[in-house]
Amino acid sequence: MYRPNRRTALQHIAASSIAASITISGTKSSGQVIGANERVRVAIAGINGRGQIHMGVFGGMKNVEIAYLVDPDSRLFKPRSAAVEQRTGKRPTCVQDIRTALEDPSLDVVSIVTPNHWHALMTIWACQAGKDVYVEKPCSHNVAEGRRMVEAAQKYDRIVQHGTQWRSDPKWRNYTADIRNGKYGKLQTANIEIFRPRKSIGTKTPVKPPRELDYDLWVGPAPLHPYRTNLVHYQWHWIWDYGNGELGNLGSHEFEMARWAMPENAAPQSVVSMGGRYGYQDQGQTPNTQLTAYDFGEAKLICQQRGLDYDSPIRMAIEFHTDAGVIRGGKFFAKGKQAGEAIADAPADGLPENYARAHFQNFIDCVRSRKSADLNSDVLDGHQTAVLAHLGNISYRLGEEVPFGKQPADLIDNPLAYESFDGMKRHLVDVAGVDLSSASYRLGPTLQFDGQAEEFVASPAANQLLSGAYRTGYELPKITS
């Protein structure tokens, strides 16, 4: 249950059920419709990078107040609070621990922009405290966390929006609806490309954390690694205990759109992933080159991720291959035709920033109306999207190093997947100068997945990676009916 103070640890609460009822009943967003002129008070948790986008968007909304800025690194408090005050005329309260903000009964919303390993615990605590939640992608750090978040939102009747902004783009909505409905033929394969150069994080020796940073709190529920300057603030993305690699980072946006175009209720039945970290040697753990293939039964999904630091410019795109042709770059290329037919109002490829404001506004509108069904990307959507990233990473992490001369035995029986593997090899040769005759790649097992039970079939090792271990005081709460 939600701990109002990490030091007192519920000393003043006799029973967890009483704690939930007291906390939730003291919040004006606890099931009541908020009037258009009533102020919605927001706490933004995580204010180093993307948190500044949240500050800018919420700070520009009518009758929305940024009441708290939350971050374990107090060095950020002065400049960030000054920026909010300059924009809104009101200086927010700055705290290091989210639980301090959750004790405020007049707080309505928690906007979570923390490292991934904090997403689930902070969301559940906020739901238990009667707050609504906007949580950045990926929704969770592992599969079990995501399901627990869905359960918490349902039990405590909370509005929980997932931060995949393309969901609020009407062009994407119409585009994927047409694909799902068969306007361009029956969908066979969705092919995702995430080409985003990433520099090496280097190798750093452990040092003492800055006195202004509560590093133990920053680590929170995750295993405690020695503090390094290439871990905090951004490079945690490439460390398994805190991040989910590019598959969970930018991949979340494109997985969400691919799911939107899939047949209704489609779920992954198997996954296989492969790749490695090339071009430099550093302390990063996640792959900067990865190919992942999913079998959804009626349709297949392929995700190509490339992140060499000297790579080509950013490219984020999805091709949809149907039995009638290919949908690519806003055009439909019918089989047997060289020229593509332009699709009216097709969405542009690229980073999904254009509809950030609309996505936040959709969330605030639902906070006011209490209609979770009107969310453009609710916590269940976020969970189902994050599952795809988690499955791919689990296959990769269970893989073995094999020479490039060894072809993957089973790439979901899909010619496009094998073409993608050959493209990955050519890319490593042409861009990174990798000698494939002596190099290796990590080849993960093909894992069968039961989407209903959300567990792997006959793979104890893979099932063990569906959840995580939590440090004392930061255990993931159980959500009982």
Side-chain angles (χ1 to χ4, degrees), residues 75 205-210 213 215 224-229 231-232:
R75 293 173 296 183
T205 56
V207 295
K208 185 178 180 180
L213 169 66
Y215 181 60
L224 182 63
H225 289 212
Y227 174 81
R228 303 192 315 265
T229 56
L231 178 60
V232 180

Side-chain angles (χ1 to χ4, degrees), residues 428-468:
L428 290 174
V429 172
D430 296 342
V431 177
V434 174
D435 182 359
L436 298 185
S437 65
S438 58
S440 64
Y441 70 103
R442 176 171 292 195
L443 175 59
T446 298
L447 300 170
Q448 305 301 316
F449 187 68
D450 182 340
Q452 187 69 29
E454 293 188 347
E455 63 182 24
F456 292 101
V457 178
S459 181
N463 282 328
Q464 194 168 13
L465 293 176
L466 290 172
S467 59

